Amino acid sequence: AMDSIIRSQAADITFNMTTTAFDTMLVQADVAGADAVIGIRYDATEMAEYMTEVLAYGTALKTVHQQEP
């Protein structure tokens, strides 16, 4: 029973870290003037026994509208 609780809490923490990384990426893309982000990936690195770094990255796109001739 205790293992199940610990796994559930770890899953919640991982979800929160991933969501925060994703939201931060979107804010940075918006500040840079992007209209969209494609090719989104996640990377997680264990920095210490109880510390994990989660990165979200992708390619920010800016749309260009061409006028008809």
Side-chain angles (χ1 to χ4, degrees):
M2 184 59 95
D3 287 345
S4 178
I5 293 171
I6 292 171
R7 271 184 251 143
S8 176
Q9 289 177 343
D12 288 345
I13 291 168
T14 301
F15 177 78
N16 289 337
M17 290 187 322
T18 303
T19 300
T20 299
F22 180 80
D23 291 345
T24 301
M25 176 192 62
L26 292 182
V27 168
Q28 290 178 344
D30 185 53
V31 168
D35 296 312
V37 179
I38 62 168
I40 297 169
R41 302 211 185 248
Y42 294 95
D43 189 20
T45 303
E46 188 173 328
M47 307 295 285
E49 186 175 353
Y50 295 105
M51 186 185 324
T52 301
E53 174 185 59
V54 177
L55 304 173
Y57 58 97
T59 302
L61 300 177
K62 177 70 178 168
T63 57
V64 177
H65 302 282
Q66 294 182 342
Q67 294 183 0
E68 294 293 324

